[in-house]
Amino acid sequence: MVGFKATDVPPTATVKFLGAGTAACIADLITFPLDTAKVRLQIQGESQGSVRAAASAQYRGVLGTILTMVRTEGPRSLYNGLVAGLQRQMSFASVRIGLYDSVKQFYTKGSEHAGLGSRLLAGSTTGALAVAVAQPTDVVKVRFQAQARAGGGRGYQSTVDAYRTIAREEGLRGLWKGTSPNVARNAIVNCAELVTYDLIKEALLKANIMTGSCPPFSAWAPGTW
């Protein structure tokens, strides 16, 4: 590694695509129990009246939900739907984040100077496109996370079985349930996240606060600081 010099060649679209998906999968592995707890809290009491549901709530708070699930269903229940969740992140984040720069360059016709409008268009485009591609994985993930509450009803045996069962019983449209609100939400979220990041990064680079590259490894050797 001694003498290695940082390159100015930017990563390709493929590297960005795979890198974004891989990073999102790692994050999902760590935070999946929190997502499962969120889903359980969101669907709790949906089949009961509001007063009765409040009185008989099984889950209370994020930590309480996690502890209850571990006690009544076992620790593995916190990762119900993990396979579909990883599939979602690999397809969703890869498009949403990994293709942002490429789409931005498309809107600016290859110009290095992108205006706010072009960034917003790129963010909303990749956010909406990501949902259109990954919505079936999101539907299956949530079904797995919620199915333990069905009170002994037949659940999905595997991720593939879930896709097949939903498509057979509800039609292909069943795999894209909730797409419209999800497209609207993620288009806005993507603009807020990526465009803000993009603008802050550009401001930091212009101010020479951060160079955007690392010094040669040899510069970090003892005695050179």
Side-chain angles (χ1 to χ4, degrees), residues 152-215:
R154 183 181 64 83
Y156 303 114
Q157 302 305 311
S158 66
T159 303
V160 174
D161 176 60
Y163 287 119
R164 290 175 176 171
T165 301
I166 294 173
R168 182 177 64 252
E169 296 181 355
E170 305 173 38
L172 288 177
R173 294 181 62 181
L175 291 170
W176 271 269
K177 283 185 175 179
T179 298
S180 296
N182 215 9
V183 164
R185 174 185 177 273
N186 280 284
I188 296 171
V189 168
N190 216 40
C191 284
E193 288 182 354
L194 295 188
V195 175
T196 300
Y197 165 81
D198 207 10
L199 291 171
I200 292 175
K201 176 183 176 181
E202 184 178 73
L204 291 174
L205 293 176
K206 285 183 178 179
N208 291 321
I209 297 176
M210 299 177 69
T211 63
S213 61
C214 297

Side-chain angles (χ1 to χ4, degrees), residues 101-115 118-119 202:
D101 284 333
S102 298
V103 174
K104 181 176 67 176
Q105 290 176 4
F106 170 79
Y107 282 128
T108 59
K109 295 180 172 57
S111 174
E112 294 182 0
H113 303 288
S118 299
R119 299 174 203 254
E202 184 178 73

Side-chain angles (χ1 to χ4, degrees), residues 13-33:
T14 302
V15 171
K16 293 178 181 179
F17 186 89
L18 294 176
T22 302
C25 286
I26 294 173
D28 209 36
L29 282 170
I30 298 172
T31 63
F32 201 81

Side-chain angles (χ1 to χ4, degrees), residues 1-219:
M1 292 295 292
V2 176
F4 175 81
K5 295 183 178 180
T7 178
D8 292 330
V9 178
T12 63
T14 302
V15 171
K16 293 178 181 179
F17 186 89
L18 294 176
T22 302
C25 286
I26 294 173
D28 209 36
L29 282 170
I30 298 172
T31 63
F32 201 81
L34 296 175
D35 189 41
T36 301
K38 179 205 71 171
V39 170
R40 292 294 182 93
L41 287 168
Q42 286 178 321
I43 64 175
Q44 180 170 243
E46 65 177 4
S47 61
Q48 301 173 339
S50 58
V51 176
R52 182 183 174 189
S56 60
Q58 180 183 9
Y59 306 117
R60 297 182 184 277
V62 176
L63 181 59
T65 300
I66 291 175
L67 292 176
T68 299
M69 291 180 63
V70 171
R71 184 175 65 253
T72 61
E73 304 172 36
R76 293 183 61 180
S77 65
L78 296 174
Y79 287 89
N80 283 342
L82 178 61
V83 173
L86 295 178
Q87 291 173 349
R88 174 184 180 273
Q89 291 296 352
M90 200 64 205
S91 55
F92 180 74
S94 295
V95 174
R96 184 176 76 90
I97 301 174
L99 295 184
Y100 171 76
D101 284 333
S102 298
V103 174
K104 181 176 67 176
Q105 290 176 4
F106 170 79
Y107 282 128
T108 59
K109 295 180 172 57
S111 174
E112 294 182 0
H113 303 288
L116 179 60
S118 299
R119 299 174 203 254
L120 291 173
L121 277 173
S124 59
T125 298
T126 57
L129 182 60
V131 172
V133 171
Q135 185 68 11
T137 63
D138 198 26
V139 170
V140 170
K141 175 186 75 75
V142 172
R143 294 284 182 95
F144 265 108
Q145 289 173 315
Q147 75 171 2
R149 67 180 289 279
R154 183 181 64 83
Y156 303 114
Q157 302 305 311
S158 66
T159 303
V160 174
D161 176 60
Y163 287 119
R164 290 175 176 171
T165 301
I166 294 173
R168 182 177 64 252
E169 296 181 355
E170 305 173 38
L172 288 177
R173 294 181 62 181
L175 291 170
W176 271 269
K177 283 185 175 179
T179 298
S180 296
N182 215 9
V183 164
R185 174 185 177 273
N186 280 284
I188 296 171
V189 168
N190 216 40
C191 284
E193 288 182 354
L194 295 188
V195 175
T196 300
Y197 165 81
D198 207 10
L199 291 171
I200 292 175
K201 176 183 176 181
E202 184 178 73
L204 291 174
L205 293 176
K206 285 183 178 179
N208 291 321
I209 297 176
M210 299 177 69
T211 63
S213 61
C214 297
F217 184 80
S218 58

